[in-house]
Amino acid sequence: MNWQPHITVATVVEDDGKFLFVEEFKAGSQVLNQPAGHLEAHETLSQAALRETLEETAWEVELTGVVGIYLYTAPSNGVTYQRICFAAKPVRHHPDRPLDSDITRAVWLTREQLLAEPQRWRSELVPRCLDDYLAGPLHSLELLRN
């Protein structure tokens, strides 16, 4: 058996009590997720988080820490994902930049707005990463060794 986890990154971006999410079309529904995606060849985890956030939201961000490292097996297909979740603050928005093709829009929501729609979460990691960010502590970016 050839089992291989998928390495992904996600970013919790906060601005004045609101958090940046993406609305994407998955399995016939619009779901909410942090800006997230797969690590690509020859990039660091930090570079992947910055790239994915820009591609999916048109926001440049500054990474401020590591929220956590998660292992998640999707019940829908049995695929295992290792997610490294970062914290970030917004730096610059590029409103004319096109978003990734599977992204409907980027949206700023409060925690309460996110929790009000559990049927729209991409996975249980969406609220978990947010709550872990809010509970702290944030881990230093120095934790990552490139």
Side-chain angles (χ1 to χ4, degrees):
M1 179 180 185
N2 185 15
W3 177 82
Q4 189 172 2
H6 295 246
I7 299 173
T8 63
V9 294
T11 308
V12 174
V13 182
E14 181 181 15
D15 187 34
D16 198 26
K18 290 198 172 186
F19 302 91
L20 185 59
F21 293 96
V22 296
E23 194 175 69
E24 56 188 334
F25 196 69
K26 220 46 163 172
S29 334
Q30 294 287 341
V31 296
L32 295 168
N33 197 6
Q34 279 92 14
H38 288 82
L39 178 69
E40 292 183 357
H42 311 294
E43 72 180 349
T44 67
L45 293 166
S46 298
Q47 289 168 339
L50 294 170
R51 175 186 53 75
E52 288 289 352
T53 302
L54 181 61
E55 289 175 356
E56 293 190 351
T57 68
W59 275 95
E60 287 180 46
V61 298
E62 177 185 336
L63 300 179
T64 58
V66 176
V67 175
I69 300 170
Y70 303 83
L71 198 59
Y72 175 75
T73 300
S76 61
N77 60 13
V79 174
T80 299
Y81 298 89
Q82 181 181 43
R83 175 188 261 207
I84 297 85
C85 185
F86 292 88
K89 61 183 181 181
V91 173
R92 183 171 176 222
H93 187 227
H94 301 271
D96 296 327
R97 182 185 171 95
L99 304 180
D100 274 359
S101 61
D102 54 339
I103 303 297
T104 307
R105 67 181 177 134
V107 59
W108 291 92
L109 301 173
T110 64
R111 178 181 180 272
E112 292 73 25
Q113 289 171 314
L114 174 72
L115 294 182
E117 299 189 87
Q119 72 283 359
R120 293 191 62 214
W121 302 340
R122 168 93 186 247
S123 77
E124 295 80 15
L125 288 178
V126 177
R128 184 172 176 201
C129 287
L130 178 58
D131 284 346
D132 287 350
Y133 165 80
L134 290 168
L138 278 186
H139 306 281
S140 169
L141 292 169
E142 297 297 318
L143 175 71
L144 305 174
R145 307 292 180 174
N146 298 321

PDB file of all heavy atoms in Angstrom, residues 40-65:
ATOM      1  N   GLU A  40       3.985  23.243  -2.573  1.00  0.00           N
ATOM      2  CA  GLU A  40       4.508  22.916  -3.905  1.00  0.00           C
ATOM      3  C   GLU A  40       6.006  22.634  -3.815  1.00  0.00           C
ATOM      4  O   GLU A  40       6.674  23.023  -2.851  1.00  0.00           O
ATOM      5  CB  GLU A  40       4.236  24.065  -4.875  1.00  0.00           C
ATOM      6  CG  GLU A  40       2.754  24.230  -5.164  1.00  0.00           C
ATOM      7  CD  GLU A  40       2.450  25.319  -6.185  1.00  0.00           C
ATOM      8  OE1 GLU A  40       3.389  26.011  -6.649  1.00  0.00           O
ATOM      9  OE2 GLU A  40       1.258  25.481  -6.512  1.00  0.00           O
ATOM     10  N   ALA A  41       6.513  21.967  -4.828  1.00  0.00           N
ATOM     11  CA  ALA A  41       7.936  21.620  -4.870  1.00  0.00           C
ATOM     12  C   ALA A  41       8.796  22.874  -4.754  1.00  0.00           C
ATOM     13  O   ALA A  41       8.470  23.920  -5.332  1.00  0.00           O
ATOM     14  CB  ALA A  41       8.258  20.884  -6.169  1.00  0.00           C
ATOM     15  N   HIS A  42       9.868  22.765  -4.013  1.00  0.00           N
ATOM     16  CA  HIS A  42      10.899  23.804  -3.893  1.00  0.00           C
ATOM     17  C   HIS A  42      10.427  25.073  -3.195  1.00  0.00           C
ATOM     18  O   HIS A  42      11.012  26.135  -3.396  1.00  0.00           O
ATOM     19  CB  HIS A  42      11.498  24.146  -5.264  1.00  0.00           C
ATOM     20  CG  HIS A  42      11.916  22.942  -6.042  1.00  0.00           C
ATOM     21  ND1 HIS A  42      12.941  22.111  -5.641  1.00  0.00           N
ATOM     22  CD2 HIS A  42      11.420  22.402  -7.175  1.00  0.00           C
ATOM     23  CE1 HIS A  42      13.065  21.119  -6.506  1.00  0.00           C
ATOM     24  NE2 HIS A  42      12.154  21.272  -7.445  1.00  0.00           N
ATOM     25  N   GLU A  43       9.376  24.994  -2.377  1.00  0.00           N
ATOM     26  CA  GLU A  43       8.999  26.164  -1.590  1.00  0.00           C
ATOM     27  C   GLU A  43       8.962  25.779  -0.116  1.00  0.00           C
ATOM     28  O   GLU A  43       8.762  24.622   0.235  1.00  0.00           O
ATOM     29  CB  GLU A  43       7.674  26.779  -2.055  1.00  0.00           C
ATOM     30  CG  GLU A  43       6.429  26.017  -1.737  1.00  0.00           C
ATOM     31  CD  GLU A  43       5.146  26.691  -2.241  1.00  0.00           C
ATOM     32  OE1 GLU A  43       5.161  27.859  -2.669  1.00  0.00           O
ATOM     33  OE2 GLU A  43       4.109  26.017  -2.208  1.00  0.00           O
ATOM     34  N   THR A  44       9.171  26.771   0.731  1.00  0.00           N
ATOM     35  CA  THR A  44       9.093  26.541   2.167  1.00  0.00           C
ATOM     36  C   THR A  44       7.629  26.589   2.598  1.00  0.00           C
ATOM     37  O   THR A  44       6.754  27.051   1.851  1.00  0.00           O
ATOM     38  CB  THR A  44       9.886  27.605   2.939  1.00  0.00           C
ATOM     39  OG1 THR A  44       9.228  28.872   2.775  1.00  0.00           O
ATOM     40  CG2 THR A  44      11.335  27.691   2.465  1.00  0.00           C
ATOM     41  N   LEU A  45       7.375  26.132   3.799  1.00  0.00           N
ATOM     42  CA  LEU A  45       6.019  26.192   4.329  1.00  0.00           C
ATOM     43  C   LEU A  45       5.527  27.636   4.404  1.00  0.00           C
ATOM     44  O   LEU A  45       4.380  27.929   4.055  1.00  0.00           O
ATOM     45  CB  LEU A  45       5.958  25.522   5.699  1.00  0.00           C
ATOM     46  CG  LEU A  45       6.201  24.015   5.697  1.00  0.00           C
ATOM     47  CD1 LEU A  45       6.466  23.509   7.114  1.00  0.00           C
ATOM     48  CD2 LEU A  45       5.024  23.272   5.074  1.00  0.00           C
ATOM     49  N   SER A  46       6.395  28.539   4.834  1.00  0.00           N
ATOM     50  CA  SER A  46       6.028  29.961   4.910  1.00  0.00           C
ATOM     51  C   SER A  46       5.716  30.523   3.533  1.00  0.00           C
ATOM     52  O   SER A  46       4.733  31.253   3.356  1.00  0.00           O
ATOM     53  CB  SER A  46       7.145  30.770   5.561  1.00  0.00           C
ATOM     54  OG  SER A  46       7.372  30.347   6.880  1.00  0.00           O
ATOM     55  N   GLN A  47       6.543  30.198   2.556  1.00  0.00           N
ATOM     56  CA  GLN A  47       6.292  30.671   1.192  1.00  0.00           C
ATOM     57  C   GLN A  47       4.959  30.137   0.674  1.00  0.00           C
ATOM     58  O   GLN A  47       4.206  30.866   0.018  1.00  0.00           O
ATOM     59  CB  GLN A  47       7.422  30.231   0.258  1.00  0.00           C
ATOM     60  CG  GLN A  47       8.727  30.948   0.488  1.00  0.00           C
ATOM     61  CD  GLN A  47       9.904  30.297  -0.242  1.00  0.00           C
ATOM     62  OE1 GLN A  47       9.859  29.116  -0.613  1.00  0.00           O
ATOM     63  NE2 GLN A  47      10.978  31.057  -0.429  1.00  0.00           N
ATOM     64  N   ALA A  48       4.652  28.891   0.969  1.00  0.00           N
ATOM     65  CA  ALA A  48       3.380  28.299   0.530  1.00  0.00           C
ATOM     66  C   ALA A  48       2.202  29.039   1.155  1.00  0.00           C
ATOM     67  O   ALA A  48       1.206  29.321   0.477  1.00  0.00           O
ATOM     68  CB  ALA A  48       3.337  26.816   0.886  1.00  0.00           C
ATOM     69  N   ALA A  49       2.296  29.354   2.450  1.00  0.00           N
ATOM     70  CA  ALA A  49       1.202  30.059   3.122  1.00  0.00           C
ATOM     71  C   ALA A  49       0.995  31.449   2.521  1.00  0.00           C
ATOM     72  O   ALA A  49      -0.148  31.860   2.273  1.00  0.00           O
ATOM     73  CB  ALA A  49       1.485  30.160   4.614  1.00  0.00           C
ATOM     74  N   LEU A  50       2.077  32.164   2.264  1.00  0.00           N
ATOM     75  CA  LEU A  50       1.967  33.500   1.659  1.00  0.00           C
ATOM     76  C   LEU A  50       1.387  33.413   0.256  1.00  0.00           C
ATOM     77  O   LEU A  50       0.499  34.198  -0.118  1.00  0.00           O
ATOM     78  CB  LEU A  50       3.337  34.178   1.624  1.00  0.00           C
ATOM     79  CG  LEU A  50       3.950  34.511   2.986  1.00  0.00           C
ATOM     80  CD1 LEU A  50       5.401  34.959   2.822  1.00  0.00           C
ATOM     81  CD2 LEU A  50       3.123  35.561   3.718  1.00  0.00           C
ATOM     82  N   ARG A  51       1.843  32.453  -0.536  1.00  0.00           N
ATOM     83  CA  ARG A  51       1.367  32.285  -1.913  1.00  0.00           C
ATOM     84  C   ARG A  51      -0.113  31.926  -1.943  1.00  0.00           C
ATOM     85  O   ARG A  51      -0.902  32.531  -2.668  1.00  0.00           O
ATOM     86  CB  ARG A  51       2.190  31.197  -2.629  1.00  0.00           C
ATOM     87  CG  ARG A  51       1.674  30.878  -4.041  1.00  0.00           C
ATOM     88  CD  ARG A  51       2.410  29.711  -4.676  1.00  0.00           C
ATOM     89  NE  ARG A  51       2.457  28.498  -3.867  1.00  0.00           N
ATOM     90  CZ  ARG A  51       1.422  27.664  -3.690  1.00  0.00           C
ATOM     91  NH1 ARG A  51       0.253  27.903  -4.260  1.00  0.00           N
ATOM     92  NH2 ARG A  51       1.565  26.580  -2.937  1.00  0.00           N
ATOM     93  N   GLU A  52      -0.496  30.922  -1.154  1.00  0.00           N
ATOM     94  CA  GLU A  52      -1.890  30.481  -1.150  1.00  0.00           C
ATOM     95  C   GLU A  52      -2.828  31.605  -0.697  1.00  0.00           C
ATOM     96  O   GLU A  52      -3.905  31.790  -1.268  1.00  0.00           O
ATOM     97  CB  GLU A  52      -2.080  29.248  -0.266  1.00  0.00           C
ATOM     98  CG  GLU A  52      -1.514  27.974  -0.835  1.00  0.00           C
ATOM     99  CD  GLU A  52      -2.296  27.418  -2.026  1.00  0.00           C
ATOM    100  OE1 GLU A  52      -3.402  27.935  -2.351  1.00  0.00           O
ATOM    101  OE2 GLU A  52      -1.816  26.457  -2.640  1.00  0.00           O
ATOM    102  N   THR A  53      -2.423  32.349   0.312  1.00  0.00           N
ATOM    103  CA  THR A  53      -3.266  33.445   0.795  1.00  0.00           C
ATOM    104  C   THR A  53      -3.452  34.492  -0.298  1.00  0.00           C
ATOM    105  O   THR A  53      -4.581  34.946  -0.547  1.00  0.00           O
ATOM    106  CB  THR A  53      -2.672  34.076   2.068  1.00  0.00           C
ATOM    107  OG1 THR A  53      -2.531  33.060   3.067  1.00  0.00           O
ATOM    108  CG2 THR A  53      -3.575  35.175   2.609  1.00  0.00           C
ATOM    109  N   LEU A  54      -2.383  34.853  -0.972  1.00  0.00           N
ATOM    110  CA  LEU A  54      -2.484  35.831  -2.061  1.00  0.00           C
ATOM    111  C   LEU A  54      -3.327  35.300  -3.213  1.00  0.00           C
ATOM    112  O   LEU A  54      -4.219  35.987  -3.717  1.00  0.00           O
ATOM    113  CB  LEU A  54      -1.085  36.222  -2.554  1.00  0.00           C
ATOM    114  CG  LEU A  54      -1.033  37.263  -3.675  1.00  0.00           C
ATOM    115  CD1 LEU A  54      -1.663  38.583  -3.245  1.00  0.00           C
ATOM    116  CD2 LEU A  54       0.407  37.465  -4.124  1.00  0.00           C
ATOM    117  N   GLU A  55      -3.081  34.061  -3.632  1.00  0.00           N
ATOM    118  CA  GLU A  55      -3.815  33.486  -4.763  1.00  0.00           C
ATOM    119  C   GLU A  55      -5.314  33.336  -4.480  1.00  0.00           C
ATOM    120  O   GLU A  55      -6.141  33.505  -5.367  1.00  0.00           O
ATOM    121  CB  GLU A  55      -3.250  32.107  -5.120  1.00  0.00           C
ATOM    122  CG  GLU A  55      -1.894  32.144  -5.766  1.00  0.00           C
ATOM    123  CD  GLU A  55      -1.298  30.762  -6.014  1.00  0.00           C
ATOM    124  OE1 GLU A  55      -1.911  29.741  -5.618  1.00  0.00           O
ATOM    125  OE2 GLU A  55      -0.221  30.712  -6.612  1.00  0.00           O
ATOM    126  N   GLU A  56      -5.660  33.045  -3.232  1.00  0.00           N
ATOM    127  CA  GLU A  56      -7.060  32.756  -2.917  1.00  0.00           C
ATOM    128  C   GLU A  56      -7.849  33.966  -2.426  1.00  0.00           C
ATOM    129  O   GLU A  56      -9.077  33.950  -2.467  1.00  0.00           O
ATOM    130  CB  GLU A  56      -7.146  31.633  -1.877  1.00  0.00           C
ATOM    131  CG  GLU A  56      -6.669  30.303  -2.427  1.00  0.00           C
ATOM    132  CD  GLU A  56      -6.959  29.136  -1.506  1.00  0.00           C
ATOM    133  OE1 GLU A  56      -7.383  29.356  -0.346  1.00  0.00           O
ATOM    134  OE2 GLU A  56      -6.765  27.989  -1.952  1.00  0.00           O
ATOM    135  N   THR A  57      -7.140  35.016  -1.949  1.00  0.00           N
ATOM    136  CA  THR A  57      -7.857  36.156  -1.358  1.00  0.00           C
ATOM    137  C   THR A  57      -7.463  37.507  -1.948  1.00  0.00           C
ATOM    138  O   THR A  57      -8.128  38.497  -1.662  1.00  0.00           O
ATOM    139  CB  THR A  57      -7.606  36.237   0.158  1.00  0.00           C
ATOM    140  OG1 THR A  57      -6.234  36.594   0.388  1.00  0.00           O
ATOM    141  CG2 THR A  57      -7.958  34.932   0.847  1.00  0.00           C
ATOM    142  N   ALA A  58      -6.362  37.561  -2.693  1.00  0.00           N
ATOM    143  CA  ALA A  58      -5.802  38.820  -3.212  1.00  0.00           C
ATOM    144  C   ALA A  58      -5.246  39.697  -2.089  1.00  0.00           C
ATOM    145  O   ALA A  58      -5.079  40.904  -2.258  1.00  0.00           O
ATOM    146  CB  ALA A  58      -6.817  39.580  -4.061  1.00  0.00           C
ATOM    147  N   TRP A  59      -4.936  39.082  -0.955  1.00  0.00           N
ATOM    148  CA  TRP A  59      -4.334  39.802   0.161  1.00  0.00           C
ATOM    149  C   TRP A  59      -2.886  39.363   0.353  1.00  0.00           C
ATOM    150  O   TRP A  59      -2.604  38.164   0.436  1.00  0.00           O
ATOM    151  CB  TRP A  59      -5.079  39.524   1.469  1.00  0.00           C
ATOM    152  CG  TRP A  59      -6.267  40.407   1.679  1.00  0.00           C
ATOM    153  CD1 TRP A  59      -7.560  40.130   1.359  1.00  0.00           C
ATOM    154  CD2 TRP A  59      -6.263  41.710   2.256  1.00  0.00           C
ATOM    155  NE1 TRP A  59      -8.367  41.185   1.694  1.00  0.00           N
ATOM    156  CE2 TRP A  59      -7.598  42.170   2.248  1.00  0.00           C
ATOM    157  CE3 TRP A  59      -5.255  42.530   2.771  1.00  0.00           C
ATOM    158  CZ2 TRP A  59      -7.963  43.423   2.745  1.00  0.00           C
ATOM    159  CZ3 TRP A  59      -5.620  43.781   3.268  1.00  0.00           C
ATOM    160  CH2 TRP A  59      -6.962  44.213   3.252  1.00  0.00           C
ATOM    161  N   GLU A  60      -1.985  40.343   0.418  1.00  0.00           N
ATOM    162  CA  GLU A  60      -0.628  40.092   0.909  1.00  0.00           C
ATOM    163  C   GLU A  60      -0.728  40.146   2.429  1.00  0.00           C
ATOM    164  O   GLU A  60      -1.403  41.029   2.983  1.00  0.00           O
ATOM    165  CB  GLU A  60       0.334  41.184   0.445  1.00  0.00           C
ATOM    166  CG  GLU A  60       0.681  41.127  -1.007  1.00  0.00           C
ATOM    167  CD  GLU A  60       1.648  42.242  -1.388  1.00  0.00           C
ATOM    168  OE1 GLU A  60       2.632  42.458  -0.649  1.00  0.00           O
ATOM    169  OE2 GLU A  60       1.397  42.884  -2.412  1.00  0.00           O
ATOM    170  N   VAL A  61      -0.072  39.202   3.085  1.00  0.00           N
ATOM    171  CA  VAL A  61      -0.108  39.156   4.543  1.00  0.00           C
ATOM    172  C   VAL A  61       1.315  39.022   5.086  1.00  0.00           C
ATOM    173  O   VAL A  61       2.236  38.654   4.367  1.00  0.00           O
ATOM    174  CB  VAL A  61      -0.981  37.991   5.063  1.00  0.00           C
ATOM    175  CG1 VAL A  61      -2.428  38.159   4.622  1.00  0.00           C
ATOM    176  CG2 VAL A  61      -0.432  36.638   4.648  1.00  0.00           C
ATOM    177  N   GLU A  62       1.442  39.317   6.358  1.00  0.00           N
ATOM    178  CA  GLU A  62       2.697  39.087   7.077  1.00  0.00           C
ATOM    179  C   GLU A  62       2.447  37.995   8.097  1.00  0.00           C
ATOM    180  O   GLU A  62       1.552  38.121   8.948  1.00  0.00           O
ATOM    181  CB  GLU A  62       3.140  40.368   7.782  1.00  0.00           C
ATOM    182  CG  GLU A  62       4.396  40.196   8.607  1.00  0.00           C
ATOM    183  CD  GLU A  62       4.744  41.445   9.404  1.00  0.00           C
ATOM    184  OE1 GLU A  62       4.337  42.551   9.016  1.00  0.00           O
ATOM    185  OE2 GLU A  62       5.430  41.290  10.446  1.00  0.00           O
ATOM    186  N   LEU A  63       3.204  36.924   8.000  1.00  0.00           N
ATOM    187  CA  LEU A  63       3.051  35.825   8.957  1.00  0.00           C
ATOM    188  C   LEU A  63       3.559  36.273  10.321  1.00  0.00           C
ATOM    189  O   LEU A  63       4.624  36.887  10.427  1.00  0.00           O
ATOM    190  CB  LEU A  63       3.817  34.594   8.479  1.00  0.00           C
ATOM    191  CG  LEU A  63       3.386  34.021   7.128  1.00  0.00           C
ATOM    192  CD1 LEU A  63       4.239  32.811   6.766  1.00  0.00           C
ATOM    193  CD2 LEU A  63       1.908  33.671   7.109  1.00  0.00           C
ATOM    194  N   THR A  64       2.792  35.960  11.372  1.00  0.00           N
ATOM    195  CA  THR A  64       3.152  36.380  12.726  1.00  0.00           C
ATOM    196  C   THR A  64       3.438  35.212  13.663  1.00  0.00           C
ATOM    197  O   THR A  64       3.939  35.425  14.756  1.00  0.00           O
ATOM    198  CB  THR A  64       2.035  37.249  13.330  1.00  0.00           C
ATOM    199  OG1 THR A  64       0.809  36.504  13.330  1.00  0.00           O
ATOM    200  CG2 THR A  64       1.852  38.535  12.530  1.00  0.00           C
ATOM    201  N   GLY A  65       3.131  33.997  13.240  1.00  0.00           N
ATOM    202  CA  GLY A  65       3.398  32.850  14.091  1.00  0.00           C
ATOM    203  C   GLY A  65       2.794  31.583  13.515  1.00  0.00           C
ATOM    204  O   GLY A  65       2.145  31.601  12.469  1.00  0.00           O
TER     205      GLY A  65
END
